[in-house]
Amino acid sequence: MRKPVSSPVVRPQLLAVAVVLGLVLLPLAVWLDLRNLSDQTLHAQASGLSSVISDIRGYYARNVVERVINAPDKTRALHNYHDVPGAIPIPATLSIELGEVIGAKEGIVAYRFVSDYPFANRAPHELDDFESRAIERFREGTGADAIVSETTGSFINRRVRVAAPVIMGEACVACHNAHPESPRHNWQVGDVRGIQAITVEQPIAANILSFKYLLAYLLLAGAAGGSFVVLQSRQARAMRRMNAELETANSFLATVSMKIAKYLSPQIYKSIFSGEKDVAISTERKKLTIFFSDIQNFTSMSERLQPEELTDLLNEYFTEMSTIAAAHGATVDKFIGDAILAFFGDPETKGVVEDARACLRMAIEMQHRLAELNAEWRRRRSLQDPFMVRMGINTGYCNVGNFGSSDRMDYTIIGAEANLAARLQSIAEPGSIVVSYETFALVQDFVRVRRLDPIRVKGINRDVVPYVVEGEAAEAPAGVFNAYGNGMNVFIDIDMLTDGDAQRLKGTLQNAMAALASKAGPAPQAE
């Protein structure tokens, strides 16, 4: 497998510091830009106002003060003051010419004094839509303090226009109504003579640098965000790569573990992979119930059958027996040729009494299942010689745990009590179960037994009294008959028989009864 790819990881502390700095610097940048914008606006307004005042002062010096000083006679206020020595402009003329003076200079402020009633000797004013609408609105009835505004512009430029009415006073009414060139002679006080419009225009681009701190912040934030995105993308790719490698490794380990599980008892496999047991050389002394079984005449049977056929039979037998053992909670230690070694009490136990009962139930069920297998093998494989299995069960203290070397070990049991289970199996009749007194004492209310002669076993300094299990203490269900021993292995369940099987069994039993009648000695009792 490939080695995992390492990648830089952003520390949470650094990310937190970056977020805090971002939150602190943003309002600071906005405040600096607002202050800068205010400074620039104030400077622009001050400069524009200074320029307007300078233009008005210059206009007043040239067209008013200078003419009054140079006037030979009495000074008069006239609209055509240029043509009369010493005359000064009337307010309307002053406003018109001031607008021309201010508008002649390029700047952000423009001023116009316009009317739709010009004097006869003057060119008419060209009014745009805004000015026409303003005059019309003012004449419809508004106060002297009313204004009309308009905001226009484009994506890169903005313009604000403000218009105020020019209201006729008493002096203006008297002058206009008496003047021969006046466009009207019926002016009244309060009439709207025209409007004065101020236009302020400024390109948006001119204020871009007003937000230099915010722009700098955004550039830095964008660079930091871009770097973060790139780093996160790299980390995401690295994580996907690592996850893919982990999935591959996990899949490989799962496959390997499933294969290893085939070589271990389910309880051992579960305890190792769940961490309940360490894979180390260690043992402990426990009271176990040990089961040992062996097939009668397996060596001679292997000489008569082909290796492939014998292998199939043995594997099917082991599969069925292992399934029954797992169902009852047995730990299958190993298969020794055609023998099975299993025990109850480690790594899981339900107590010594219940372990012994479970072991005996397992042995009885194994014998019943073997009878069914023999019938199936005769039908499917034409097997004439059935498998006859001897079983021995003992309860006692053994050393259980991991035995072996640091490189290779085996989970098993050792002790004289394990040897006794094998010896009890060896004295059992084919198809029978033999238990020791220690096991019988735990299950005596559960089974019916027959006592055998005491035996001596190497490593045990006492006589061992074996007991042959003849059946369960409880009555068998109605319609179920079983009997097993040397030369017989009978299991009949009436409810499971078909009509054809029942007829064949009836003929077989009649022939068996006739044969037994001619044989000396009592017939075996069905259970």
Side-chain angles (χ1 to χ4, degrees):
M1 291 185 295
R2 294 186 302 169
K3 295 182 178 180
V5 179
S6 61
S7 62
V9 178
V10 178
R11 294 182 179 179
Q13 298 86 346
L14 295 179
L15 184 59
V17 170
V19 171
V20 172
L21 286 177
L23 294 176
V24 171
L25 291 178
L26 178 58
L28 178 61
V30 171
W31 178 81
L32 290 173
D33 283 330
L34 289 176
R35 188 185 69 172
N36 186 56
L37 180 60
S38 298
D39 293 343
Q40 289 187 0
T41 303
L42 291 175
H43 282 295
Q45 291 175 351
S47 299
L49 184 59
S50 175
S51 177
V52 170
I53 293 174
S54 297
D55 291 339
I56 293 175
R57 185 175 60 249
Y59 175 85
Y60 184 79
R62 289 191 308 272
N63 299 319
V64 177
V65 176
E66 184 177 347
R67 295 182 68 83
V68 170
I69 293 174
N70 297 328
D73 299 318
K74 183 181 179 180
T75 302
R76 292 181 298 168
L78 302 172
H79 71 281
N80 58 343
Y81 70 96
H82 291 287
D83 300 331
V84 179
I88 61 175
I90 62 175
T93 302
L94 173 64
S95 297
I96 293 173
E97 293 185 353
L98 278 177
E100 294 174 353
V101 171
I102 295 173
K105 297 183 64 177
E106 293 184 0
I108 63 173
V109 179
Y111 175 80
R112 269 170 60 86
F113 183 92
V114 294
S115 175
D116 53 351
Y117 290 106
F119 275 65
N121 62 343
R122 287 184 177 176
H125 296 160
E126 295 182 3
L127 304 180
D128 57 24
D129 292 339
F130 171 72
E131 294 168 340
S132 299
R133 290 197 308 271
I135 292 175
E136 182 179 357
R137 180 175 175 183
F138 291 141
R139 286 180 177 161
E140 287 176 354
T142 56
D145 297 332
I147 61 172
V148 174
S149 63
E150 178 186 65
T151 302
T152 59
S154 62
F155 180 75
I156 60 175
N157 187 62
R158 302 302 293 169
R159 182 174 63 178
V160 177
R161 302 181 71 185
V162 177
V166 178
I167 307 298
M168 298 288 285
E170 292 182 2
C172 295
V173 170
C175 178
H176 280 68
N177 288 338
H179 201 287
E181 296 180 2
S182 175
R184 287 177 55 184
H185 298 282
N186 58 345
W187 292 103
Q188 296 180 5
V189 176
D191 285 347
V192 176
R193 175 71 175 86
I195 63 170
Q196 60 179 8
I198 298 176
T199 302
V200 180
E201 185 174 2
Q202 189 174 38
I204 294 179
N207 293 323
I208 289 180
L209 294 180
S210 299
F211 296 92
K212 56 185 177 182
Y213 296 106
L214 184 58
L215 290 174
Y217 172 84
L218 293 177
L219 289 176
L220 290 176
S227 301
F228 182 76
V229 169
V230 171
L231 184 59
Q232 287 296 102
S233 178
R234 289 180 56 192
Q235 289 183 343
R237 288 196 298 269
M239 290 299 294
R240 286 195 295 269
R241 201 159 48 242
M242 294 171 64
N243 287 336
E245 293 175 355
L246 287 175
E247 288 179 1
T248 302
N250 289 338
S251 177
F252 172 76
L253 291 176
T255 303
V256 172
S257 65
M258 292 301 296
K259 293 179 179 178
I260 294 176
K262 302 297 183 181
Y263 294 89
L264 298 174
S265 175
Q267 296 90 335
I268 305 302
Y269 172 83
K270 178 182 176 182
S271 62
I272 291 176
F273 281 85
S274 63
E276 297 176 5
K277 284 188 175 292
D278 292 331
V279 184
I281 297 177
S282 63
T283 62
E284 52 185 328
R285 186 172 175 81
K286 285 188 175 182
K287 192 169 187 178
L288 308 175
T289 296
I290 304 100
F291 168 86
F292 200 94
S293 70
D294 187 66
I295 301 175
Q296 181 194 26
N297 298 328
F298 182 77
T299 302
S300 60
M301 187 180 300
S302 63
E303 295 175 354
R304 295 193 302 271
L305 298 175
Q306 293 297 321
E308 294 81 6
E309 185 178 9
L310 183 63
T311 300
D312 290 342
L313 288 172
L314 191 60
N315 287 338
E316 187 175 355
Y317 164 73
F318 281 147
T319 298
E320 294 290 337
M321 299 301 107
S322 297
T323 300
I324 295 173
H328 288 272
T331 299
V332 178
D333 188 331
K334 60 175 66 71
F335 301 112
I336 310 171
D338 60 314
I340 300 175
L341 173 60
F343 55 87
F344 289 76
D346 190 80
E348 298 175 354
T349 180
K350 296 180 180 179
V352 177
V353 175
E354 189 57 37
D355 287 342
R357 289 174 176 270
C359 184
L360 194 56
R361 292 192 192 98
M362 177 192 72
I364 294 173
E365 185 175 348
M366 284 181 172
Q367 291 288 6
H368 290 170
R369 180 56 183 155
L370 184 59
E372 296 173 358
L373 287 175
N374 283 325
E376 292 178 11
W377 288 337
R378 280 194 295 269
R379 184 175 63 255
R380 288 192 288 114
R381 299 176 179 270
S382 300
L383 184 66
Q384 298 301 320
D385 297 326
F387 276 23
M388 301 297 293
V389 177
R390 299 185 298 263
M391 297 180 180
I393 300 175
N394 179 42
T395 301
Y397 283 94
C398 296
N399 285 343
V400 57
N402 293 323
F403 294 85
S405 66
S406 57
D407 297 326
R408 189 176 186 277
M409 57 190 68
D410 188 18
Y411 190 87
T412 186
I413 58 174
I414 61 172
E417 303 297 340
N419 297 334
L420 177 56
R423 179 62 187 277
L424 292 174
Q425 171 273 138
S426 66
I427 66 172
E429 295 292 334
S432 67
I433 304 170
V434 175
V435 301
S436 65
Y437 173 79
E438 287 74 14
T439 301
F440 169 68
L442 299 173
V443 299
Q444 57 184 335
D445 60 338
F446 175 64
V447 293
R448 292 180 290 105
V449 299
R450 175 169 50 86
R451 177 173 173 168
L452 300 179
D453 295 332
I455 61 173
R456 298 285 295 182
V457 178
K458 184 178 180 181
I460 298 179
N461 298 323
R462 70 177 188 278
D463 289 338
V464 176
V465 180
Y467 294 83
V468 177
V469 176
E470 295 187 338
E472 298 184 34
E475 292 292 334
V480 177
F481 306 90
N482 62 78
Y484 48 87
N486 189 19
M488 65 175 180
N489 191 350
V490 179
F491 175 79
I492 302 173
D493 188 341
I494 300 299
D495 294 335
M496 295 180 62
L497 294 175
T498 64
D499 294 341
D501 291 337
Q503 292 299 325
R504 287 193 298 272
L505 179 59
K506 185 182 299 185
T508 301
L509 291 177
Q510 289 175 350
N511 294 335
M513 292 299 294
L516 288 174
S518 63
K519 181 178 177 62
Q525 181 180 0
E527 298 164 0

